[in-house]
Amino acid sequence: MMNENYIAINQLGYRPNDAKLAVIQGKQSKYRLVAIDSDEVIWEGESSAEQYDEASGVTVCKLDFSHVTREGRYRIVGEEGSSWPFSISSHVYEDVQVAVLKAFYYLRCGEELTSEYAGPWAHAACHHSLVHVHGQPELTFDGTGGWHDAGDYGKYIVAAGKAIADLLLAYELYPQTFKRKVPLPESNDVMDDLLHEVKVELDWMLKMQDAATGGVYHKLTTLQFPPLDMMPEDDTADLYAMPISATATASFAASMAMAARAYAAYDEHYAERCLLAAERAWQWLEEHPDVEGFRNPSDVGTGEYGDSQDEDERYWAAAELYRATGNDKYHAAFLRYAKRSSFNKTSLGWADMGGYGTMSYLLCEHKREEAIVSELKQALSSHADQLADVSSKDGYSISMLPEQYRWGSNMDVMNHAMLMLFAQHVEGHQRYEGVIAAHVHYLLGMNVNGISYISGYGHSAMTHPHHRPSVGDGVDAPVPGMVSGGPNKNLQDEYAAKHLQNRAPAACYADHEDSYATNEVTIYWNSPALFVLSHFTSL
Ligand code: G3I
Ligand code: 9MR
Ligand code: ZN
């Protein structure tokens, strides 16, 4: 019996000049690269020595075939079987990169997804009733629009903040790759589709700012999650805006300040509106220096996104506001936070946004404090070096330690790749290029589960996401282009607890719709993947 994960590869393939790696759950030996059409052996090479991979719980050896550059369709063949077919081609990531962006369109809330743009995944407009402010039910507002967060239909500001940051940074660093159209209903020759799609979320976020105080509601959801097979338009329970929080207000301020820069060239009025909203939010933060972290009210069971540490979000907001305005007041605030060691300055998770503040300051065009610049560059480089070092020892050549396979581990895999890309950008070198490519190979199939974690892309791709429309729409195929959360050793749902006991961390994964702790999808798991893929489609 052939083990399908015997030779794990990037199921889409490899660009001619990138590092090319396959990971084999087998003996050190010679392996052949065989052309699919002709059965011709193109190349033969010896794998590395066997090594036990603690994260995956298997013994592997690696096959580095980087110097094969000839375009074509191939498989790798060994004594005990072969890999899935894959390509070597310059264009190998172009479709998936667009699909990962298109996924945001499929997550849109409050508008009809037409079959012209959504194909079989079309559905009626959803969540259009007035929103009640939780605890003040007589206070209502229009909260339509934006993206559903994930497999659920909630809309959460801090989650949005991370997604916006990744998307706008991808656009800033790799503008050329966004010249291709998705296409979207708004596509035109004035503004690129990425900016059209991001604006959908920004427009919703603007509605979440309390006009009276400038504070931003933490989230907008029903009180409880609807059933797993419920389509969005059938989810008609009352909608609530949950209390204002400092993390949401700061993430909002930072996102809006980024938007002010990004849209200035296309729509001056909109850019001004974003900046005004960002400055109002900042004012709220100044008036509320010390607030408790958000907790779900007792009658609410939807995602909490709780986080009692708000200094990282404030640091990020100050950096973005300084970058957008050049105003000394924001510079001073940024420097105040930069001198604190109470939060991490290179992490990129929804709860730990320090890395975005750091990157913003390092990209900032206004006058900067040189000592802080070099300190932050140093922190970025040493984190990137450490990730590269872990990758050099890992069985699948990625930067994850066994204990790091937690809920949404694929976000961490992509965040690490993004951080190394930031470091390369700032330092002006390409030292991590091969390591970063390995992270893409992992996401697209070079992993112990032999699965491509992006729906619709790869020979054996994730097909049963915990994603309500994909479960409820009666279409066999899931919505394409969505990144699964991935292995989670903490087995935090019933399905995982029942079926994944005693597995190694990276093997704690089930392509099953019930496993929300390993196989849900979210905007901020797609967004770092889009950033990383955009690097590989931009040159
Ligand atoms: O990082 C710690 C680790 O150090 C610790 O050892 C371990 C022990 O349990 O926990 C780890 O933290 C986990 C954290 O995610 C990591 O980011 C928590 O256990 C885990 O509960 C938490 O999960 C979050 C999950 O919501 C449950 O609250 C995910 O980050 C977050 O992405 C997810 O978000 C949900 C929304 O609530 C609702 N919408 C869907 C979305 C995706 O599943
Ligand atoms: O579907 C929910 C998913 O979006 C969340 O990430 C997850 C964790 O908060 O919860 C899921 O909902 C489950 C609930 O927590 C427990 N009962 C089963 C629900 C899934 O159908
Ligand atoms: Zn909706």
Short mmCIF file of all heavy atoms in Angstrom, two decimals, residues 454-487:
data_model
loop_
_atom_site.label_atom_id
_atom_site.label_comp_id
_atom_site.label_asym_id
_atom_site.label_seq_id
_atom_site.Cartn_x
_atom_site.Cartn_y
_atom_site.Cartn_z
N ILE A 454 -5.04 25.00 1.55
CA ILE A 454 -5.86 26.01 0.88
C ILE A 454 -6.94 25.31 0.04
O ILE A 454 -6.62 24.55 -0.87
CB ILE A 454 -5.00 26.93 -0.01
CG1 ILE A 454 -3.88 27.57 0.83
CG2 ILE A 454 -5.88 28.01 -0.65
CD1 ILE A 454 -3.06 28.63 0.11
N SER A 455 -8.20 25.57 0.37
CA SER A 455 -9.30 24.89 -0.34
C SER A 455 -9.22 25.14 -1.84
O SER A 455 -8.97 26.26 -2.29
CB SER A 455 -10.66 25.36 0.21
OG SER A 455 -10.77 26.77 0.10
N GLY A 456 -9.41 24.05 -2.59
CA GLY A 456 -9.46 24.17 -4.05
C GLY A 456 -8.11 24.19 -4.75
O GLY A 456 -8.06 24.20 -5.97
N TYR A 457 -7.01 24.21 -3.99
CA TYR A 457 -5.69 24.33 -4.61
C TYR A 457 -4.75 23.22 -4.15
O TYR A 457 -4.32 23.23 -3.00
CB TYR A 457 -5.09 25.73 -4.37
CG TYR A 457 -5.86 26.71 -5.20
CD1 TYR A 457 -7.08 27.23 -4.75
CD2 TYR A 457 -5.45 27.02 -6.48
CE1 TYR A 457 -7.85 28.05 -5.56
CE2 TYR A 457 -6.21 27.85 -7.30
CZ TYR A 457 -7.40 28.35 -6.83
OH TYR A 457 -8.16 29.13 -7.65
N GLY A 458 -4.49 22.28 -5.04
CA GLY A 458 -3.62 21.15 -4.71
C GLY A 458 -4.35 19.86 -4.96
O GLY A 458 -5.58 19.81 -4.92
N HIS A 459 -3.57 18.83 -5.21
CA HIS A 459 -4.11 17.51 -5.55
C HIS A 459 -4.93 16.95 -4.41
O HIS A 459 -5.95 16.28 -4.59
CB HIS A 459 -2.94 16.58 -5.85
CG HIS A 459 -3.20 15.70 -6.99
ND1 HIS A 459 -3.98 14.58 -6.89
CD2 HIS A 459 -2.80 15.78 -8.28
CE1 HIS A 459 -4.04 13.99 -8.08
NE2 HIS A 459 -3.34 14.71 -8.93
N SER A 460 -4.46 17.18 -3.20
CA SER A 460 -5.17 16.71 -2.02
C SER A 460 -5.35 17.92 -1.11
O SER A 460 -4.60 18.14 -0.18
CB SER A 460 -4.34 15.62 -1.34
OG SER A 460 -4.93 15.27 -0.12
N ALA A 461 -6.36 18.75 -1.44
CA ALA A 461 -6.53 20.01 -0.73
C ALA A 461 -7.61 19.89 0.33
O ALA A 461 -8.50 19.04 0.23
CB ALA A 461 -6.92 21.11 -1.71
N MET A 462 -7.55 20.73 1.34
CA MET A 462 -8.56 20.81 2.38
C MET A 462 -9.94 20.95 1.71
O MET A 462 -10.11 21.80 0.84
CB MET A 462 -8.23 22.02 3.26
CG MET A 462 -9.14 22.26 4.41
SD MET A 462 -10.54 23.32 4.00
CE MET A 462 -9.84 24.94 4.22
N THR A 463 -10.90 20.11 2.12
CA THR A 463 -12.22 20.15 1.47
C THR A 463 -13.39 20.32 2.42
O THR A 463 -14.51 20.54 1.96
CB THR A 463 -12.53 18.83 0.70
OG1 THR A 463 -11.49 17.91 0.93
CG2 THR A 463 -12.69 19.06 -0.76
N HIS A 464 -13.16 20.15 3.72
CA HIS A 464 -14.30 20.20 4.65
C HIS A 464 -14.09 21.24 5.75
O HIS A 464 -14.06 20.91 6.93
CB HIS A 464 -14.53 18.81 5.26
CG HIS A 464 -14.72 17.75 4.24
ND1 HIS A 464 -15.88 17.65 3.48
CD2 HIS A 464 -13.90 16.78 3.80
CE1 HIS A 464 -15.76 16.64 2.64
NE2 HIS A 464 -14.57 16.09 2.81
N PRO A 465 -13.94 22.50 5.37
CA PRO A 465 -13.69 23.53 6.38
C PRO A 465 -14.89 23.72 7.32
O PRO A 465 -16.04 23.50 6.92
CB PRO A 465 -13.47 24.80 5.56
CG PRO A 465 -14.21 24.57 4.28
CD PRO A 465 -14.07 23.10 4.01
N HIS A 466 -14.59 24.12 8.54
CA HIS A 466 -15.63 24.58 9.45
C HIS A 466 -16.01 25.99 8.98
O HIS A 466 -15.43 26.99 9.42
CB HIS A 466 -15.10 24.61 10.89
CG HIS A 466 -16.13 25.02 11.91
ND1 HIS A 466 -16.99 24.13 12.48
CD2 HIS A 466 -16.43 26.23 12.44
CE1 HIS A 466 -17.78 24.76 13.33
NE2 HIS A 466 -17.47 26.05 13.31
N HIS A 467 -16.91 26.03 8.02
CA HIS A 467 -17.28 27.29 7.37
C HIS A 467 -18.74 27.13 6.99
O HIS A 467 -19.09 26.31 6.15
CB HIS A 467 -16.39 27.48 6.13
CG HIS A 467 -16.77 28.68 5.29
ND1 HIS A 467 -17.16 28.57 3.97
CD2 HIS A 467 -16.81 30.00 5.59
CE1 HIS A 467 -17.42 29.78 3.49
NE2 HIS A 467 -17.22 30.66 4.45
N ARG A 468 -19.60 27.90 7.66
CA ARG A 468 -21.03 27.66 7.52
C ARG A 468 -21.54 27.62 6.09
O ARG A 468 -22.24 26.68 5.72
CB ARG A 468 -21.80 28.64 8.41
CG ARG A 468 -21.71 28.23 9.89
CD ARG A 468 -22.31 29.22 10.85
NE ARG A 468 -22.35 28.64 12.20
CZ ARG A 468 -21.29 28.47 12.99
NH1 ARG A 468 -20.10 28.83 12.56
NH2 ARG A 468 -21.41 27.92 14.19
N PRO A 469 -21.20 28.59 5.23
CA PRO A 469 -21.71 28.50 3.86
C PRO A 469 -21.23 27.23 3.14
O PRO A 469 -22.00 26.60 2.40
CB PRO A 469 -21.15 29.76 3.19
CG PRO A 469 -20.93 30.71 4.31
CD PRO A 469 -20.51 29.86 5.48
N SER A 470 -19.99 26.83 3.37
CA SER A 470 -19.49 25.62 2.70
C SER A 470 -20.23 24.38 3.18
O SER A 470 -20.40 23.43 2.43
CB SER A 470 -17.98 25.45 2.93
OG SER A 470 -17.27 26.49 2.28
N VAL A 471 -20.68 24.39 4.42
CA VAL A 471 -21.44 23.25 4.95
C VAL A 471 -22.89 23.32 4.45
O VAL A 471 -23.48 22.31 4.07
CB VAL A 471 -21.41 23.24 6.50
CG1 VAL A 471 -22.31 22.14 7.06
CG2 VAL A 471 -19.97 23.07 7.00
N GLY A 472 -23.46 24.53 4.41
CA GLY A 472 -24.89 24.65 4.21
C GLY A 472 -25.37 24.88 2.79
O GLY A 472 -26.57 24.83 2.52
N ASP A 473 -24.45 25.12 1.85
CA ASP A 473 -24.90 25.57 0.53
C ASP A 473 -25.28 24.46 -0.45
O ASP A 473 -25.72 24.73 -1.57
CB ASP A 473 -23.85 26.51 -0.11
CG ASP A 473 -22.51 25.82 -0.36
OD1 ASP A 473 -22.41 24.59 -0.20
OD2 ASP A 473 -21.55 26.54 -0.70
N GLY A 474 -25.07 23.20 -0.05
CA GLY A 474 -25.45 22.11 -0.95
C GLY A 474 -24.50 21.93 -2.13
O GLY A 474 -24.72 21.07 -2.99
N VAL A 475 -23.43 22.71 -2.18
CA VAL A 475 -22.42 22.55 -3.23
C VAL A 475 -21.34 21.62 -2.67
O VAL A 475 -20.91 21.81 -1.53
CB VAL A 475 -21.78 23.92 -3.58
CG1 VAL A 475 -20.72 23.78 -4.66
CG2 VAL A 475 -22.85 24.91 -3.98
N ASP A 476 -20.92 20.63 -3.44
CA ASP A 476 -19.91 19.70 -2.93
C ASP A 476 -18.62 20.39 -2.56
O ASP A 476 -18.09 20.22 -1.48
CB ASP A 476 -19.60 18.61 -3.98
CG ASP A 476 -20.64 17.49 -3.91
OD1 ASP A 476 -21.43 17.50 -2.94
OD2 ASP A 476 -20.67 16.64 -4.83
N ALA A 477 -18.10 21.17 -3.49
CA ALA A 477 -16.81 21.80 -3.25
C ALA A 477 -16.95 22.95 -2.26
O ALA A 477 -17.94 23.69 -2.28
CB ALA A 477 -16.24 22.32 -4.57
N PRO A 478 -15.97 23.10 -1.37
CA PRO A 478 -16.01 24.25 -0.46
C PRO A 478 -15.71 25.53 -1.22
O PRO A 478 -15.19 25.48 -2.34
CB PRO A 478 -14.88 23.94 0.52
CG PRO A 478 -13.88 23.17 -0.31
CD PRO A 478 -14.73 22.33 -1.24
N VAL A 479 -16.03 26.65 -0.62
CA VAL A 479 -15.60 27.92 -1.19
C VAL A 479 -14.08 27.86 -1.37
O VAL A 479 -13.37 27.46 -0.45
CB VAL A 479 -16.01 29.08 -0.25
CG1 VAL A 479 -15.36 30.38 -0.65
CG2 VAL A 479 -17.52 29.21 -0.22
N PRO A 480 -13.58 28.19 -2.55
CA PRO A 480 -12.14 28.05 -2.81
C PRO A 480 -11.29 29.18 -2.25
O PRO A 480 -11.79 30.27 -1.97
CB PRO A 480 -12.07 28.05 -4.34
CG PRO A 480 -13.27 28.81 -4.79
CD PRO A 480 -14.33 28.60 -3.74
N GLY A 481 -9.99 28.90 -2.11
CA GLY A 481 -9.03 29.94 -1.75
C GLY A 481 -8.98 30.26 -0.27
O GLY A 481 -8.45 31.29 0.12
N MET A 482 -9.53 29.38 0.56
CA MET A 482 -9.54 29.67 1.99
C MET A 482 -8.46 28.86 2.72
O MET A 482 -8.29 27.67 2.48
CB MET A 482 -10.91 29.35 2.59
CG MET A 482 -12.00 30.24 1.99
SD MET A 482 -13.54 30.14 2.91
CE MET A 482 -13.79 28.40 2.89
N VAL A 483 -7.76 29.53 3.63
CA VAL A 483 -6.67 28.90 4.38
C VAL A 483 -7.21 28.31 5.68
O VAL A 483 -7.83 29.00 6.48
CB VAL A 483 -5.58 29.94 4.71
CG1 VAL A 483 -4.47 29.32 5.56
CG2 VAL A 483 -5.00 30.53 3.42
N SER A 484 -6.98 27.03 5.86
CA SER A 484 -7.41 26.35 7.09
C SER A 484 -6.54 26.78 8.28
O SER A 484 -5.36 27.07 8.11
CB SER A 484 -7.27 24.84 6.88
OG SER A 484 -7.30 24.16 8.11
N GLY A 485 -7.13 26.74 9.47
CA GLY A 485 -6.37 27.06 10.69
C GLY A 485 -5.17 26.14 10.87
O GLY A 485 -4.09 26.57 11.27
N GLY A 486 -5.35 24.86 10.58
CA GLY A 486 -4.22 23.93 10.64
C GLY A 486 -4.04 23.26 11.99
O GLY A 486 -4.83 23.48 12.92
N PRO A 487 -3.00 22.41 12.08
CA PRO A 487 -2.78 21.59 13.27
C PRO A 487 -2.83 22.38 14.58
O PRO A 487 -2.29 23.48 14.67
CB PRO A 487 -1.37 21.03 13.05
CG PRO A 487 -1.07 21.19 11.61
CD PRO A 487 -1.98 22.22 11.05
#
